[in-house]
Amino acid sequence: MSAEFRSVPGEYIDRLLDKFPQVRQLMHEALARAGDFDFEADFLPDLRTGKLQLWCGVAAGKAGLVVITRIEARPKHRVGQILVCAGENRAFWLPYLADVENWFRAQGCVRVEAMARPGWARDLADYRKTHVMLEKALTDGFQQLSIH
């Protein structure tokens, strides 16, 4: 099966979402597993402006892989971060992450950091586990502030 994987410029994000509704579906599913994130509110505005990058893999006319990245400038160096990676048939798409890594390298990043669920550690053998994310809810639920 042939496939295409590339970064989508911010000005084309909405066109991509219209053409491949699977992108939104994959993001919603991944973000639901990750916690209280919303694709439209938390990611889409920054994808449109280019603060975040959206990568999309398409095979057989269907989006099968979606990756959201950013570059963080730190005092001593730049770091590429994979914030979300969602898709179907991980074994097929996994080699395409090298394209993201190569792009980070071309942007002057010295390393890649990936926020991932535990299962990714066994598939990304050339990455090393340096931290564990711990979360604690501070409220029973998010309450919206109403101002009249």
Side-chain angles (χ1 to χ4, degrees):
M1 171 182 359
S2 69
E4 185 176 352
F5 179 72
R6 65 176 57 174
S7 177
V8 180
E11 63 267 20
Y12 295 106
I13 295 291
D14 291 312
R15 253 190 252 174
L16 175 88
L17 295 173
D18 289 340
K19 185 171 182 176
F20 298 104
Q22 305 90 8
V23 170
R24 223 182 219 107
Q25 179 184 345
L26 290 169
M27 283 290 103
H28 285 289
E29 290 170 3
L31 295 172
R33 286 189 300 270
D36 189 26
F37 293 100
D38 180 81
F39 176 65
E40 279 77 14
D42 297 326
F43 294 94
L44 199 49
D46 287 341
L47 288 168
R48 287 179 176 135
T49 64
K51 287 182 184 177
L52 300 176
Q53 301 77 44
L54 185 134
W55 300 75
C56 185
V58 176
K62 182 180 174 189
L65 174 67
V66 184
V67 180
I68 295 178
T69 63
R70 75 174 166 208
I71 294 176
E72 183 175 289
R74 296 185 180 160
K76 293 184 180 180
H77 52 262
R78 294 164 57 103
V79 174
Q81 296 178 322
I82 299 174
L83 303 176
V84 183
C85 186
E88 299 171 349
N89 192 359
R90 186 186 301 184
F92 176 78
W93 289 109
L94 203 56
Y96 289 89
L97 287 181
D99 294 348
V100 175
E101 294 168 358
N102 289 333
W103 182 79
F104 282 146
R105 192 176 291 110
Q107 303 307 309
C109 296
V110 299
R111 79 169 163 267
V112 178
E113 297 174 346
M115 177 67 71
R117 291 181 296 126
W120 279 94
R122 70 178 164 268
D123 291 329
L124 298 174
D126 54 341
Y127 284 62
R128 67 186 178 97
K129 189 174 174 179
T130 61
H131 295 79
V132 174
M133 170 68 85
L134 303 173
E135 294 183 9
K136 178 181 178 182
L138 298 176
T139 63
D140 290 334
F142 181 77
Q143 297 178 7
Q144 182 142 348
L145 180 62
S146 176
I147 301 174
H148 302 302

